[in-house]
Structure formats: C-alpha cells, structure tokens
Amino acid sequence: MSWLTAEEALQALKTKPQTLYANVSRGRIRAKPDPADPRRSLYQAADVQRLAERHAGRRKAETVAAETIRWGDPVLSSAISTIIEGRLFYRGRDAADFADTATLEQTAALLWNGAEALSSGTTGENTSPSLQTAFLALAGRVTTDLPSLGRSQAALRREAHGVLSTVSDALAPGLPDRPLHLRLAESWQRPQAADCLRRALVLLADHELNASTFTARVTASAGAALSATVLSGLATLTGPLHGAAWQGVDALIEATIAVGAEQALRRTLAQGNSVAAFGHPLYPDGDIRASALLGYFPLPSKFAELREAGEAMIGEKVNVDFALAAMAAAFDLPREAPIIIFSLARSVGWLAHAMEQVESGELIRPRARYAGPAPETVTRR
C-alpha cells in the first residue's frame, strides 16, 4: 500500500482538513500513524484517489456502483449496526461496552428488536460442536420452512428463535436454557474460557454489511425461509477472506514457531500476500473487537511475538481474526474453535438482517456491467 501525508491528501481531494477527517471517521479513507512522527497521520493513497475521482465527476455511474461494493459507500439502509469513528454500535449501543456484561441471547433480543431474552436451544445431547452438523440441520429445514415474505415480524421472530436453536444445537450442544457461552465452554471442557467466549460471541454477532450478511440479505430479499438466509450466510462465512481468516493467522504462528515472527512476516510480504492478522479497512486506529477481547486472557508468547513484530513492520494493529486465534490457543480450544464461535455469533446478525430485509419488501437485484465478447447482431423479424 502507498500512503500520503495530510498535505498530499488535501491537495488531491481539493478539500478542507475537516472533510478529510470526516472521511476517515466514516471509513472511506484508511489512515495510520506516521512512523516518523506519531503525532501525524498518513492516508491510504488508493482511498484518496477514489474519492478525488468521484468529486471530480470523472467516473460513470456504473463504475461508482461497481466500486461501492468494495468497501465503498453504503448501498442500503439498516438500523441494526454501524461503525462510527472506530466504534461498533448495535442499534445505537456501543458493542464493546455491551459485551462487558451481555450474553449472545441478550444480543439477539437487542438486534431482533425483541424485549425478551431468548431460549438458547432444545437438546441435552452431549456432543461436540460441529459446523458440518449445522449445515446439514439448516439444509433439512430449508425445504419445509415457510417462505419469509408476507409474514408479520412477530411470526418471523418466533421462527428466528427456532432457527437459532437449530444452529445452537449443532454449534453449542448442551442442556436447554443454559446460556450459549456456557454450553460452548462445557462442550469443549474449558469452563475457564466461558467469560471470554461470552464476550467474543457478543462482539461478533453483527458487523454491518459484510460479505456473509449481504449474502443473507440477498437470500431474504427473494422471500426464502429464514433458515435459508442463515445457510447462505454460513456458506459465505467459510471463505478464507472472511470467517476462515483465522487459518491465515494460524499459518503465521506456525511460521513464527519455525523461523521467528520477523522472518515469517518478511516471507509473507515478499510473496505479495496480505497478512490476515493485521488491519481492518473500517478501523483505521485498530479493530475495536480485537482490543475489547485481547485484554481478558493471557496472550500466548508466540502470538505476543507476532503482534509486536507485525504492528511495527506493517503499521497496522492486530484484528479480530488474530484475537480469535489467540483466544483459541490461550485456552487450548479445538483448532476449528474460531469458525465455530464466529458462525454461532453471526447467525444472530444474519437473522436480524433477514427480518429487516423482509420488512423492506425489496428484492436486491443489481445489474452487471458486461465485459464479455461483443454480442452477435440480432436480426428482428
């Protein structure tokens, strides 16, 4: 990435400093402290150029639309969550503060606009958390659950309870009416991890219009069952650029064990690869979810080594993918624990967005900008 000084960014944007800072706070321009002078900031050149071109009116409407889905401007309205000035908010409540005491069930009640706390499951079977079981259970519901269109929000909330119970029975099996974080800790036989699991579940419940949530909203906009929206979100979450990014962190830790953090990072950067553990475009000053989680468990030594070296070399703070992988290592959780935690938590957000999308009554159907071979001449008769 190339970076600009404030003077260079202002010259490119032809705007006032206040406008530059506002664009940073809204996540439109990424910024980081200047290594030569921590009192100053540097600004991501590609973000500045994108906004400069927009303001100059040199881009066609279809180009604007295409770039909007790549960390661009908002593409639809939502009252569920947002990121403002480096803080994550759930319906106006600071998510990091909310995570100090709330459970995932209470988070669901907040995001679903329901006042009651939720029952978290229906089974007492003592099995291990399984992503495969969640996929199969959701797929089994899709063919029998009712479509979501034409139903009241009260009816959809009742069904959302059932869908969350289906997911919970697969990802956090345990006794009915036990809080999900306790069920998860007990299923992994790690009671000492319970409070950190609770905090992580709350922090990961929603994150505005990320890839899996957008997928879930598209599915819901077609009128599919709520179980189908969660299934589609879950499938998207498994991608290595999304919920499975923790595997990239694990790979860095393995390399750190073998050759040391600095050499591991140098190799990764020399190969032209991005480093999954550091930075987030919506958090110029550091991923608030990571900082809200990392202070509540002892950081394993290799993670501490990687964090120190990476933040110095890359100039970005560690993100929530790093925090999840570190938490799993600190409590000796199963290797797939990060994706289990992420999937269980984010199911709450997918259901909230699905219900909001159904209420809007709109089908999400963007147009494609055709870039293929010239169409054959059509002879009209």
Side-chain angles (χ1 to χ4, degrees):
M1 290 186 184
S2 58
W3 299 85
L4 303 176
T5 64
E7 292 76 12
E8 291 169 335
L10 290 171
Q11 183 177 3
L13 290 168
K14 296 181 173 58
T15 189
K16 299 178 180 178
Q18 295 92 325
T19 305
L20 172 62
Y21 305 146
N23 281 318
V24 171
S25 69
R26 293 177 183 135
R28 294 173 179 169
I29 296 177
R30 284 165 284 185
K32 69 174 185 178
D34 187 341
D37 185 354
R39 295 170 298 178
R40 298 166 59 86
S41 294
L42 297 177
Y43 303 90
Q44 221 285 310
D47 295 342
V48 171
Q49 183 63 27
R50 172 174 52 83
L51 283 182
E53 289 178 356
R54 177 179 304 168
H55 295 159
R58 291 196 294 266
R59 299 188 308 160
K60 296 181 179 180
E62 62 265 24
T63 305
V64 175
E67 292 193 359
T68 290
I69 64 173
R70 297 195 299 269
W71 302 104
D73 287 337
V75 297
L76 54 80
S77 297
S78 177
I80 296 170
S81 70
T82 190
I83 298 105
I84 300 175
E85 296 183 357
R87 306 292 296 189
L88 172 63
F89 294 90
Y90 293 161
R91 293 198 183 276
R93 297 194 62 172
D94 189 298
D97 292 342
F98 191 61
D100 284 338
T101 57
T103 63
L104 183 61
E105 290 86 345
Q106 291 168 334
T107 308
L110 172 64
L111 296 182
W112 298 359
N113 257 345
E116 74 280 9
L118 302 176
S119 173
S120 59
T122 59
T123 182
E125 296 180 7
N126 186 20
T127 57
S128 298
S130 168
L131 199 62
Q132 181 181 14
T133 301
F135 272 109
L136 292 172
L138 286 168
R141 290 190 61 131
V142 168
T143 56
T144 57
D145 285 355
L146 289 172
S148 55
L149 289 183
R151 302 170 66 195
S152 71
Q153 285 292 301
L156 290 176
R157 276 198 294 270
R158 286 193 297 271
E159 183 156 314
H161 285 225
V163 174
L164 182 59
S165 290
T166 296
V167 175
S168 301
D169 289 344
L171 300 183
L175 295 172
D177 300 324
R178 289 280 281 170
L180 286 168
H181 63 281
L182 293 181
R183 286 170 49 170
L184 198 51
E186 290 162 1
S187 67
W188 283 329
Q189 299 181 5
R190 295 292 184 273
Q192 68 275 23
D195 192 63
C196 278
L197 289 171
R198 177 196 60 75
R199 190 177 296 272
L201 289 170
V202 173
L203 290 167
L204 290 168
D206 198 58
H207 201 234
E208 206 203 55
L209 207 59
N210 53 81
S212 59
T213 298
F214 187 67
T215 302
R217 288 194 77 124
V218 170
T219 304
S221 78
L226 293 184
S227 53
T229 68
V230 175
L231 183 60
S232 63
L234 189 60
T236 305
L237 189 72
T238 60
L241 296 182
H242 195 9
W246 60 273
Q247 295 182 86
V249 182
D250 273 4
L252 271 176
I253 290 297
E254 291 174 3
T256 297
I257 293 171
V259 299
E262 183 174 339
Q263 187 60 30
L265 289 164
R266 285 184 180 278
R267 287 182 180 179
T268 301
L269 293 171
Q271 293 167 356
N273 298 325
S274 60
V275 184
F278 299 90
H280 193 291
L282 295 180
Y283 298 102
D285 297 321
D287 190 335
I288 185 62
R289 299 166 300 170
S291 58
L293 187 58
L294 284 170
Y296 293 90
F297 60 87
L299 194 61
S301 60
K302 290 302 176 183
F303 281 86
E305 179 186 345
L306 179 62
R307 181 183 188 178
E308 182 178 3
E311 291 185 350
M313 293 173 65
I314 298 170
E316 301 274 7
K317 295 182 180 179
V318 292
N319 55 31
V320 76
D321 301 309
F322 175 93
L324 274 180
M327 186 179 75
F331 291 106
D332 193 24
L333 302 178
R335 184 175 183 275
E336 70 277 9
I339 191 66
I340 296 288
I341 296 165
F342 213 147
S343 301
L344 178 59
R346 193 55 58 85
S347 293
V348 166
W350 294 328
L351 287 163
H353 280 272
M355 288 185 281
E356 185 179 65
Q357 186 62 41
V358 170
E359 190 173 27
S360 77
E362 297 176 352
L363 174 67
I364 298 175
R365 204 307 190 178
R367 293 294 309 279
R369 183 174 60 191
Y370 182 68
E376 296 177 358
T377 302
V378 178
T379 302
R380 298 186 181 276
R381 296 187 179 181

